Amino acid sequence: MLNLERLRTLDALARHGSVSGAAEGLHITTSAVSQQLSKLEREVGQRLLAKNGRGVRLTDAGRLLAEHAARILSQVELAQSDLEAQRGQVVGDLRLSAFPTAARGLFPHALAALREQHPALRLRSCELEPEHGIAGVVRGDLDLAVVLDWYNKPMALPEGLVKASILDDPAEVALPVDHRLAGRDEVDLGEFADDEWITWGDGEFCHEWLMFTLRSKGVEPIVGHRAAETHTQLALVAAGLGVCIAPLLGRHPVPDGVVTVPLRQRVRRHVYVVWRADADRRPSIRAAVKALRAAAEDVG
């Protein structure tokens, strides 16, 4: 009889690619991962791992069993989801992530409401950029991820995920109060060809969106500073160091010395939540989506 927890450990190793990654994903020690996999090898009577430099790799037998383990664990999750749905109770563990401004703008209200309304539900949350949140849901490290894309740059979702819209988040340009365009009713991105931009980290989805959008306007962006947090970006704007895109979610309070001006072509982020299709019937998933949408109504 194959042990389910040992199959879960093998699946985590296959997904993360290393013993340390599997340990982090499962919230156990690396020695516990090694012990579980050694026991699994004895159970099946075959080597599942081979040394690969300083790490390990799956053998042919290990890859074969890992493929079966992924299907078995998916069926187990589906069974748990169906049982929760039949019972109709919001219980168990729920692991969520959100990109930083959503974590600030939505999680405090939504998670507090979930805790009050469903005291048997155990919540764990963290901040992750959208692509990392989606990867966490696919791997099974997370149950839900609050993610985003932009009106002109959608994010592709892997097969097997379900999504629900939370809100459309309007974005404006944040300018120093003495900027030449600060008194305008609206501006166009093409008017910022000579300005330094304060943007997100290189490779992050929002940074790539801004570069794509400015270049589509014939503007080669001048990037002066990078910061992951909206409030850090706004503080740099207040110091006169550049301009930035300022979505409404998580923006307030806007610091002194900064004004926000609408864009002529309305710019919006689409904020939504994703989860695995095999967990679709879990009452806790539906409760979380409801709580996030209620929190979104208070944005602004």
Side-chain angles (χ1 to χ4, degrees):
M1 180 72 69
L2 292 172
N3 181 280
L4 187 62
E5 288 308 309
R6 290 167 198 159
L7 289 178
R8 196 181 305 278
T9 304
L10 179 65
D11 176 66
L13 178 68
R15 289 186 283 104
H16 290 278
S18 68
V19 171
S20 60
E24 183 177 352
L26 294 170
H27 305 286
I28 59 177
T29 64
T30 54
S31 62
V33 170
S34 298
Q35 290 169 15
Q36 289 278 51
L37 294 174
S38 295
K39 290 177 181 178
L40 185 58
E41 286 185 324
R42 290 196 294 271
E43 283 180 351
V44 300
Q46 296 189 61
R47 289 189 63 191
L48 303 176
L49 303 176
K51 289 186 177 180
N52 184 30
R54 295 184 178 181
V56 295
R57 61 172 177 82
L58 292 173
T59 63
D60 289 344
R63 285 195 297 272
L64 177 64
L65 186 56
E67 291 172 2
H68 283 290
R71 289 193 291 270
I72 291 167
L73 292 169
S74 179
Q75 285 298 312
V76 169
E77 179 150 7
L78 183 59
Q80 291 172 334
S81 176
D82 285 344
L83 286 170
E84 283 187 29
Q86 185 184 53
R87 188 168 49 188
Q89 295 178 347
V90 180
V91 297
D93 294 314
L94 194 67
R95 301 158 299 172
L96 310 91
S97 76
F99 57 95
T101 51
R104 181 190 309 115
L106 298 176
F107 269 7
H109 182 114
L111 300 187
L114 281 169
R115 187 174 62 179
E116 179 181 356
Q117 296 165 12
H118 309 289
L121 183 64
R122 294 181 296 276
L123 298 165
R124 287 185 291 172
S125 71
C126 63
E127 285 188 3
L128 287 176
E129 291 299 327
E131 56 271 32
H132 299 305
I134 289 171
V137 173
V138 170
R139 290 195 307 265
D141 301 336
L142 296 167
D143 299 301
L144 288 167
V146 179
V147 300
L148 65 89
D149 57 24
W150 292 84
Y151 74 103
N152 61 340
K153 193 174 178 65
M155 178 180 285
L157 287 182
E159 187 177 348
L161 296 188
V162 178
K163 72 176 184 178
S165 177
I166 300 300
L167 80 157
D168 278 353
D169 186 26
E172 300 178 344
V173 181
L175 314 169
V177 291
D178 58 356
H179 191 278
R180 68 187 187 282
L181 302 176
R184 294 270 293 276
D185 293 331
E186 60 181 18
V187 292
D188 187 275
L189 284 173
E191 297 179 87
F192 294 93
D194 297 325
D195 287 273
E196 285 194 47
W197 282 93
I198 299 160
T199 180
W200 297 267
D202 192 23
E204 290 187 15
F205 185 76
C206 288
H207 171 77
E208 297 302 322
W209 164 80
L210 181 60
M211 300 299 100
F212 166 81
T213 304
L214 287 170
R215 286 169 180 150
S216 72
K217 295 281 188 180
V219 174
E220 184 54 37
I222 303 170
V223 176
H225 306 279
R226 299 174 185 270
E229 288 280 356
T230 298
H231 280 197
T232 305
Q233 294 184 9
L234 291 173
L236 293 170
V237 173
L241 297 173
V243 301
C244 76
I245 294 293
L248 180 61
L249 181 63
R251 179 199 304 173
H252 297 297
V254 175
D256 293 338
V258 175
V259 296
T260 61
V261 181
L263 285 155
R264 187 168 296 120
Q265 180 183 14
R266 296 296 181 247
V267 172
R268 290 181 177 272
R269 301 190 299 183
H270 307 306
V271 179
Y272 52 98
V273 60
V274 300
W275 64 92
R276 293 184 302 281
D278 54 20
D280 193 42
R281 295 187 64 200
R282 287 178 59 186
S284 56
I285 296 284
R286 303 204 172 276
V289 172
K290 181 180 178 180
L292 287 164
R293 283 175 168 166
E297 293 178 0
D298 295 334
V299 171

